[in-house]
PDB file of all heavy atoms in Angstrom:
ATOM      1  N   SER K   1      14.963   7.608  -5.785  1.00 97.00           N
ATOM      2  CA  SER K   1      15.504   6.622  -4.839  1.00 97.00           C
ATOM      3  C   SER K   1      14.913   6.767  -3.446  1.00 97.00           C
ATOM      4  O   SER K   1      14.855   5.794  -2.693  1.00 97.00           O
ATOM      5  CB  SER K   1      17.035   6.730  -4.775  1.00 97.00           C
ATOM      6  OG  SER K   1      17.442   7.945  -4.146  1.00 97.00           O
ATOM      7  N   GLY K   2      14.455   7.973  -3.103  1.00 96.00           N
ATOM      8  CA  GLY K   2      13.889   8.171  -1.771  1.00 96.00           C
ATOM      9  C   GLY K   2      12.653   7.345  -1.498  1.00 96.00           C
ATOM     10  O   GLY K   2      12.305   7.101  -0.334  1.00 96.00           O
ATOM     11  N   ALA K   3      11.972   6.897  -2.546  1.00 97.00           N
ATOM     12  CA  ALA K   3      10.798   6.043  -2.371  1.00 97.00           C
ATOM     13  C   ALA K   3      11.171   4.568  -2.258  1.00 97.00           C
ATOM     14  O   ALA K   3      10.346   3.739  -1.888  1.00 97.00           O
ATOM     15  CB  ALA K   3       9.830   6.230  -3.541  1.00 97.00           C
ATOM     16  N   MET K   4      12.431   4.231  -2.586  1.00 96.00           N
ATOM     17  CA  MET K   4      12.856   2.832  -2.662  1.00 96.00           C
ATOM     18  C   MET K   4      13.796   2.426  -1.532  1.00 96.00           C
ATOM     19  O   MET K   4      14.152   1.253  -1.434  1.00 96.00           O
ATOM     20  CB  MET K   4      13.597   2.602  -3.987  1.00 96.00           C
ATOM     21  CG  MET K   4      12.842   2.980  -5.243  1.00 96.00           C
ATOM     22  SD  MET K   4      13.965   2.854  -6.674  1.00 96.00           S
ATOM     23  CE  MET K   4      12.823   2.958  -8.034  1.00 96.00           C
ATOM     24  N   VAL K   5      14.210   3.382  -0.730  1.00 96.00           N
ATOM     25  CA  VAL K   5      15.286   3.122   0.235  1.00 96.00           C
ATOM     26  C   VAL K   5      14.948   1.982   1.179  1.00 96.00           C
ATOM     27  O   VAL K   5      13.795   1.704   1.458  1.00 96.00           O
ATOM     28  CB  VAL K   5      15.626   4.392   1.048  1.00 96.00           C
ATOM     29  CG1 VAL K   5      16.252   5.457   0.165  1.00 96.00           C
ATOM     30  CG2 VAL K   5      14.379   4.934   1.759  1.00 96.00           C
ATOM     31  N   GLU K   6      16.007   1.332   1.629  1.00 94.00           N
ATOM     32  CA  GLU K   6      15.992   0.285   2.645  1.00 94.00           C
ATOM     33  C   GLU K   6      15.485  -1.063   2.150  1.00 94.00           C
ATOM     34  O   GLU K   6      15.374  -2.004   2.929  1.00 94.00           O
ATOM     35  CB  GLU K   6      15.205   0.705   3.905  1.00 94.00           C
ATOM     36  CG  GLU K   6      15.757   1.951   4.574  1.00 94.00           C
ATOM     37  CD  GLU K   6      15.167   2.198   5.959  1.00 94.00           C
ATOM     38  OE1 GLU K   6      14.231   1.478   6.348  1.00 94.00           O
ATOM     39  OE2 GLU K   6      15.661   3.101   6.657  1.00 94.00           O
ATOM     40  N   ARG K   7      15.181  -1.175   0.811  1.00 95.00           N
ATOM     41  CA  ARG K   7      14.660  -2.471   0.384  1.00 95.00           C
ATOM     42  C   ARG K   7      14.992  -2.885  -1.046  1.00 95.00           C
ATOM     43  O   ARG K   7      14.924  -4.066  -1.358  1.00 95.00           O
ATOM     44  CB  ARG K   7      13.146  -2.530   0.596  1.00 95.00           C
ATOM     45  CG  ARG K   7      12.340  -1.477  -0.156  1.00 95.00           C
ATOM     46  CD  ARG K   7      10.996  -1.327   0.543  1.00 95.00           C
ATOM     47  NE  ARG K   7      10.011  -0.519  -0.163  1.00 95.00           N
ATOM     48  CZ  ARG K   7       9.958   0.805  -0.114  1.00 95.00           C
ATOM     49  NH1 ARG K   7      10.870   1.478   0.570  1.00 95.00           N
ATOM     50  NH2 ARG K   7       9.005   1.461  -0.737  1.00 95.00           N
ATOM     51  N   ILE K   8      15.350  -1.988  -1.953  1.00 96.00           N
ATOM     52  CA  ILE K   8      15.626  -2.390  -3.329  1.00 96.00           C
ATOM     53  C   ILE K   8      17.080  -2.805  -3.486  1.00 96.00           C
ATOM     54  O   ILE K   8      17.983  -2.221  -2.881  1.00 96.00           O
ATOM     55  CB  ILE K   8      15.288  -1.257  -4.324  1.00 96.00           C
ATOM     56  CG1 ILE K   8      15.350  -1.770  -5.766  1.00 96.00           C
ATOM     57  CG2 ILE K   8      16.212  -0.070  -4.132  1.00 96.00           C
ATOM     58  CD1 ILE K   8      14.796  -0.802  -6.790  1.00 96.00           C
ATOM     59  N   ARG K   9      17.321  -3.856  -4.267  1.00 96.00           N
ATOM     60  CA  ARG K   9      18.688  -4.299  -4.539  1.00 96.00           C
ATOM     61  C   ARG K   9      19.423  -3.209  -5.311  1.00 96.00           C
ATOM     62  O   ARG K   9      18.876  -2.593  -6.227  1.00 96.00           O
ATOM     63  CB  ARG K   9      18.693  -5.598  -5.335  1.00 96.00           C
ATOM     64  CG  ARG K   9      18.080  -6.776  -4.615  1.00 96.00           C
ATOM     65  CD  ARG K   9      18.084  -8.007  -5.503  1.00 96.00           C
ATOM     66  NE  ARG K   9      19.434  -8.514  -5.703  1.00 96.00           N
ATOM     67  CZ  ARG K   9      19.818  -9.164  -6.800  1.00 96.00           C
ATOM     68  NH1 ARG K   9      18.977  -9.341  -7.805  1.00 96.00           N
ATOM     69  NH2 ARG K   9      21.046  -9.609  -6.913  1.00 96.00           N
ATOM     70  N   PHE K  10      20.664  -2.970  -4.958  1.00 96.00           N
ATOM     71  CA  PHE K  10      21.409  -1.866  -5.538  1.00 96.00           C
ATOM     72  C   PHE K  10      21.608  -2.050  -7.038  1.00 96.00           C
ATOM     73  O   PHE K  10      21.433  -1.109  -7.817  1.00 96.00           O
ATOM     74  CB  PHE K  10      22.759  -1.727  -4.826  1.00 96.00           C
ATOM     75  CG  PHE K  10      23.560  -0.538  -5.276  1.00 96.00           C
ATOM     76  CD1 PHE K  10      23.106   0.750  -5.032  1.00 96.00           C
ATOM     77  CD2 PHE K  10      24.764  -0.705  -5.943  1.00 96.00           C
ATOM     78  CE1 PHE K  10      23.851   1.856  -5.448  1.00 96.00           C
ATOM     79  CE2 PHE K  10      25.511   0.394  -6.356  1.00 96.00           C
ATOM     80  CZ  PHE K  10      25.042   1.674  -6.105  1.00 96.00           C
ATOM     81  N   GLN K  11      21.940  -3.252  -7.465  1.00 95.00           N
ATOM     82  CA  GLN K  11      22.166  -3.474  -8.894  1.00 95.00           C
ATOM     83  C   GLN K  11      20.869  -3.305  -9.680  1.00 95.00           C
ATOM     84  O   GLN K  11      20.879  -2.825 -10.820  1.00 95.00           O
ATOM     85  CB  GLN K  11      22.785  -4.843  -9.139  1.00 95.00           C
ATOM     86  CG  GLN K  11      21.960  -6.027  -8.680  1.00 95.00           C
ATOM     87  CD  GLN K  11      22.666  -7.333  -8.938  1.00 95.00           C
ATOM     88  OE1 GLN K  11      22.662  -7.843 -10.067  1.00 95.00           O
ATOM     89  NE2 GLN K  11      23.290  -7.889  -7.907  1.00 95.00           N
ATOM     90  N   THR K  12      19.751  -3.658  -9.081  1.00 96.00           N
ATOM     91  CA  THR K  12      18.456  -3.453  -9.737  1.00 96.00           C
ATOM     92  C   THR K  12      18.170  -1.964  -9.889  1.00 96.00           C
ATOM     93  O   THR K  12      17.673  -1.508 -10.927  1.00 96.00           O
ATOM     94  CB  THR K  12      17.333  -4.119  -8.927  1.00 96.00           C
ATOM     95  OG1 THR K  12      17.610  -5.517  -8.779  1.00 96.00           O
ATOM     96  CG2 THR K  12      15.986  -3.941  -9.608  1.00 96.00           C
ATOM     97  N   TYR K  13      18.488  -1.197  -8.856  1.00 97.00           N
ATOM     98  CA  TYR K  13      18.289   0.253  -8.929  1.00 97.00           C
ATOM     99  C   TYR K  13      19.140   0.868 -10.039  1.00 97.00           C
ATOM    100  O   TYR K  13      18.676   1.768 -10.755  1.00 97.00           O
ATOM    101  CB  TYR K  13      18.632   0.896  -7.586  1.00 97.00           C
ATOM    102  CG  TYR K  13      18.726   2.402  -7.659  1.00 97.00           C
ATOM    103  CD1 TYR K  13      17.586   3.187  -7.780  1.00 97.00           C
ATOM    104  CD2 TYR K  13      19.970   3.040  -7.639  1.00 97.00           C
ATOM    105  CE1 TYR K  13      17.671   4.570  -7.883  1.00 97.00           C
ATOM    106  CE2 TYR K  13      20.069   4.418  -7.724  1.00 97.00           C
ATOM    107  CZ  TYR K  13      18.910   5.179  -7.849  1.00 97.00           C
ATOM    108  OH  TYR K  13      19.001   6.546  -7.952  1.00 97.00           O
ATOM    109  N   LEU K  14      20.359   0.397 -10.215  1.00 97.00           N
ATOM    110  CA  LEU K  14      21.219   0.943 -11.266  1.00 97.00           C
ATOM    111  C   LEU K  14      20.645   0.668 -12.653  1.00 97.00           C
ATOM    112  O   LEU K  14      20.666   1.545 -13.528  1.00 97.00           O
ATOM    113  CB  LEU K  14      22.630   0.354 -11.148  1.00 97.00           C
ATOM    114  CG  LEU K  14      23.415   0.710  -9.882  1.00 97.00           C
ATOM    115  CD1 LEU K  14      24.807   0.091  -9.933  1.00 97.00           C
ATOM    116  CD2 LEU K  14      23.504   2.215  -9.683  1.00 97.00           C
ATOM    117  N   ILE K  15      20.129  -0.535 -12.856  1.00 97.00           N
ATOM    118  CA  ILE K  15      19.498  -0.840 -14.143  1.00 97.00           C
ATOM    119  C   ILE K  15      18.272   0.038 -14.338  1.00 97.00           C
ATOM    120  O   ILE K  15      18.038   0.584 -15.427  1.00 97.00           O
ATOM    121  CB  ILE K  15      19.113  -2.332 -14.209  1.00 97.00           C
ATOM    122  CG1 ILE K  15      20.363  -3.209 -14.104  1.00 97.00           C
ATOM    123  CG2 ILE K  15      18.355  -2.640 -15.499  1.00 97.00           C
ATOM    124  CD1 ILE K  15      20.067  -4.690 -13.931  1.00 97.00           C
ATOM    125  N   PHE K  16      17.494   0.200 -13.271  1.00 97.00           N
ATOM    126  CA  PHE K  16      16.313   1.068 -13.334  1.00 97.00           C
ATOM    127  C   PHE K  16      16.711   2.495 -13.709  1.00 97.00           C
ATOM    128  O   PHE K  16      16.039   3.138 -14.525  1.00 97.00           O
ATOM    129  CB  PHE K  16      15.596   1.067 -11.977  1.00 97.00           C
ATOM    130  CG  PHE K  16      14.512   2.096 -11.868  1.00 97.00           C
ATOM    131  CD1 PHE K  16      13.235   1.842 -12.352  1.00 97.00           C
ATOM    132  CD2 PHE K  16      14.757   3.342 -11.283  1.00 97.00           C
ATOM    133  CE1 PHE K  16      12.227   2.802 -12.265  1.00 97.00           C
ATOM    134  CE2 PHE K  16      13.768   4.299 -11.197  1.00 97.00           C
ATOM    135  CZ  PHE K  16      12.492   4.038 -11.690  1.00 97.00           C
ATOM    136  N   ALA K  17      17.801   2.994 -13.127  1.00 98.00           N
ATOM    137  CA  ALA K  17      18.229   4.373 -13.378  1.00 98.00           C
ATOM    138  C   ALA K  17      18.508   4.605 -14.852  1.00 98.00           C
ATOM    139  O   ALA K  17      18.101   5.626 -15.431  1.00 98.00           O
ATOM    140  CB  ALA K  17      19.464   4.701 -12.539  1.00 98.00           C
ATOM    141  N   VAL K  18      19.197   3.664 -15.494  1.00 98.00           N
ATOM    142  CA  VAL K  18      19.515   3.824 -16.919  1.00 98.00           C
ATOM    143  C   VAL K  18      18.254   3.727 -17.770  1.00 98.00           C
ATOM    144  O   VAL K  18      18.024   4.550 -18.665  1.00 98.00           O
ATOM    145  CB  VAL K  18      20.545   2.763 -17.360  1.00 98.00           C
ATOM    146  CG1 VAL K  18      20.771   2.836 -18.863  1.00 98.00           C
ATOM    147  CG2 VAL K  18      21.868   2.980 -16.633  1.00 98.00           C
ATOM    148  N   LEU K  19      17.425   2.718 -17.496  1.00 98.00           N
ATOM    149  CA  LEU K  19      16.213   2.540 -18.285  1.00 98.00           C
ATOM    150  C   LEU K  19      15.258   3.711 -18.119  1.00 98.00           C
ATOM    151  O   LEU K  19      14.684   4.212 -19.094  1.00 98.00           O
ATOM    152  CB  LEU K  19      15.525   1.228 -17.895  1.00 98.00           C
ATOM    153  CG  LEU K  19      16.258  -0.061 -18.262  1.00 98.00           C
ATOM    154  CD1 LEU K  19      15.504  -1.269 -17.715  1.00 98.00           C
ATOM    155  CD2 LEU K  19      16.432  -0.174 -19.768  1.00 98.00           C
ATOM    156  N   TRP K  20      15.083   4.158 -16.888  1.00 98.00           N
ATOM    157  CA  TRP K  20      14.126   5.237 -16.634  1.00 98.00           C
ATOM    158  C   TRP K  20      14.594   6.546 -17.280  1.00 98.00           C
ATOM    159  O   TRP K  20      13.795   7.265 -17.879  1.00 98.00           O
ATOM    160  CB  TRP K  20      13.929   5.435 -15.132  1.00 98.00           C
ATOM    161  CG  TRP K  20      12.783   6.346 -14.816  1.00 98.00           C
ATOM    162  CD1 TRP K  20      11.478   6.006 -14.638  1.00 98.00           C
ATOM    163  CD2 TRP K  20      12.841   7.774 -14.640  1.00 98.00           C
ATOM    164  NE1 TRP K  20      10.712   7.118 -14.371  1.00 98.00           N
ATOM    165  CE2 TRP K  20      11.521   8.214 -14.359  1.00 98.00           C
ATOM    166  CE3 TRP K  20      13.874   8.708 -14.674  1.00 98.00           C
ATOM    167  CZ2 TRP K  20      11.217   9.552 -14.141  1.00 98.00           C
ATOM    168  CZ3 TRP K  20      13.567  10.041 -14.456  1.00 98.00           C
ATOM    169  CH2 TRP K  20      12.256  10.462 -14.198  1.00 98.00           C
ATOM    170  N   THR K  21      15.868   6.833 -17.186  1.00 98.00           N
ATOM    171  CA  THR K  21      16.383   8.056 -17.802  1.00 98.00           C
ATOM    172  C   THR K  21      16.197   8.018 -19.310  1.00 98.00           C
ATOM    173  O   THR K  21      15.802   9.017 -19.930  1.00 98.00           O
ATOM    174  CB  THR K  21      17.867   8.241 -17.460  1.00 98.00           C
ATOM    175  OG1 THR K  21      18.023   8.307 -16.034  1.00 98.00           O
ATOM    176  CG2 THR K  21      18.415   9.526 -18.067  1.00 98.00           C
ATOM    177  N   THR K  22      16.442   6.866 -19.917  1.00 98.00           N
ATOM    178  CA  THR K  22      16.333   6.739 -21.367  1.00 98.00           C
ATOM    179  C   THR K  22      14.888   6.768 -21.844  1.00 98.00           C
ATOM    180  O   THR K  22      14.564   7.417 -22.847  1.00 98.00           O
ATOM    181  CB  THR K  22      17.002   5.437 -21.837  1.00 98.00           C
ATOM    182  OG1 THR K  22      18.366   5.415 -21.385  1.00 98.00           O
ATOM    183  CG2 THR K  22      16.970   5.314 -23.350  1.00 98.00           C
ATOM    184  N   LEU K  23      14.004   6.098 -21.120  1.00 98.00           N
ATOM    185  CA  LEU K  23      12.631   5.907 -21.591  1.00 98.00           C
ATOM    186  C   LEU K  23      11.645   6.948 -21.066  1.00 98.00           C
ATOM    187  O   LEU K  23      10.561   7.113 -21.648  1.00 98.00           O
ATOM    188  CB  LEU K  23      12.136   4.501 -21.208  1.00 98.00           C
ATOM    189  CG  LEU K  23      12.941   3.331 -21.790  1.00 98.00           C
ATOM    190  CD1 LEU K  23      12.394   2.007 -21.282  1.00 98.00           C
ATOM    191  CD2 LEU K  23      12.933   3.377 -23.315  1.00 98.00           C
ATOM    192  N   VAL K  24      12.001   7.628 -19.970  1.00 98.00           N
ATOM    193  CA  VAL K  24      11.079   8.618 -19.399  1.00 98.00           C
ATOM    194  C   VAL K  24      11.676  10.026 -19.425  1.00 98.00           C
ATOM    195  O   VAL K  24      11.100  10.948 -20.022  1.00 98.00           O
ATOM    196  CB  VAL K  24      10.679   8.251 -17.943  1.00 98.00           C
ATOM    197  CG1 VAL K  24       9.747   9.321 -17.364  1.00 98.00           C
ATOM    198  CG2 VAL K  24       9.998   6.893 -17.903  1.00 98.00           C
ATOM    199  N   TYR K  25      12.834  10.204 -18.809  1.00 98.00           N
ATOM    200  CA  TYR K  25      13.385  11.551 -18.697  1.00 98.00           C
ATOM    201  C   TYR K  25      13.734  12.151 -20.055  1.00 98.00           C
ATOM    202  O   TYR K  25      13.353  13.296 -20.346  1.00 98.00           O
ATOM    203  CB  TYR K  25      14.629  11.558 -17.802  1.00 98.00           C
ATOM    204  CG  TYR K  25      15.200  12.956 -17.646  1.00 98.00           C
ATOM    205  CD1 TYR K  25      14.707  13.824 -16.677  1.00 98.00           C
ATOM    206  CD2 TYR K  25      16.214  13.424 -18.491  1.00 98.00           C
ATOM    207  CE1 TYR K  25      15.195  15.113 -16.553  1.00 98.00           C
ATOM    208  CE2 TYR K  25      16.700  14.713 -18.371  1.00 98.00           C
ATOM    209  CZ  TYR K  25      16.192  15.549 -17.400  1.00 98.00           C
ATOM    210  OH  TYR K  25      16.668  16.830 -17.297  1.00 98.00           O
ATOM    211  N   ASP K  26      14.441  11.409 -20.875  1.00 98.00           N
ATOM    212  CA  ASP K  26      14.873  11.965 -22.163  1.00 98.00           C
ATOM    213  C   ASP K  26      13.691  12.385 -23.039  1.00 98.00           C
ATOM    214  O   ASP K  26      13.698  13.494 -23.599  1.00 98.00           O
ATOM    215  CB  ASP K  26      15.771  10.966 -22.893  1.00 98.00           C
ATOM    216  CG  ASP K  26      17.100  10.745 -22.184  1.00 98.00           C
ATOM    217  OD1 ASP K  26      17.433  11.544 -21.290  1.00 98.00           O
ATOM    218  OD2 ASP K  26      17.794   9.763 -22.510  1.00 98.00           O
ATOM    219  N   PRO K  27      12.658  11.553 -23.197  1.00 98.00           N
ATOM    220  CA  PRO K  27      11.506  12.008 -23.980  1.00 98.00           C
ATOM    221  C   PRO K  27      10.816  13.229 -23.381  1.00 98.00           C
ATOM    222  O   PRO K  27      10.447  14.158 -24.118  1.00 98.00           O
ATOM    223  CB  PRO K  27      10.572  10.789 -23.977  1.00 98.00           C
ATOM    224  CG  PRO K  27      11.481   9.626 -23.792  1.00 98.00           C
ATOM    225  CD  PRO K  27      12.548  10.120 -22.865  1.00 98.00           C
ATOM    226  N   LEU K  28      10.630  13.259 -22.058  1.00 98.00           N
ATOM    227  CA  LEU K  28       9.971  14.415 -21.445  1.00 98.00           C
ATOM    228  C   LEU K  28      10.776  15.692 -21.653  1.00 98.00           C
ATOM    229  O   LEU K  28      10.212  16.759 -21.934  1.00 98.00           O
ATOM    230  CB  LEU K  28       9.759  14.169 -19.951  1.00 98.00           C
ATOM    231  CG  LEU K  28       8.584  13.268 -19.568  1.00 98.00           C
ATOM    232  CD1 LEU K  28       8.602  12.985 -18.071  1.00 98.00           C
ATOM    233  CD2 LEU K  28       7.260  13.894 -19.981  1.00 98.00           C
TER     234      LEU K  28
END
């Protein structure tokens, strides 16, 4: 989130958080 601050829509960030955790973090 530190790279996105001051400009990304909050609801978009929440969707990103779930997708990224599922598709990137969990496999790694």
Side-chain angles (χ1 to χ4, degrees):
S1 69
M4 305 172 167
V5 293
E6 301 192 353
R7 60 201 190 277
I8 190 170
R9 297 178 70 209
F10 185 65
Q11 60 181 280
T12 302
Y13 168 73
L14 295 182
I15 298 170
F16 170 84
V18 174
L19 292 176
W20 191 89
T21 301
T22 304
L23 300 177
V24 179
Y25 181 85
D26 293 346
L28 282 173

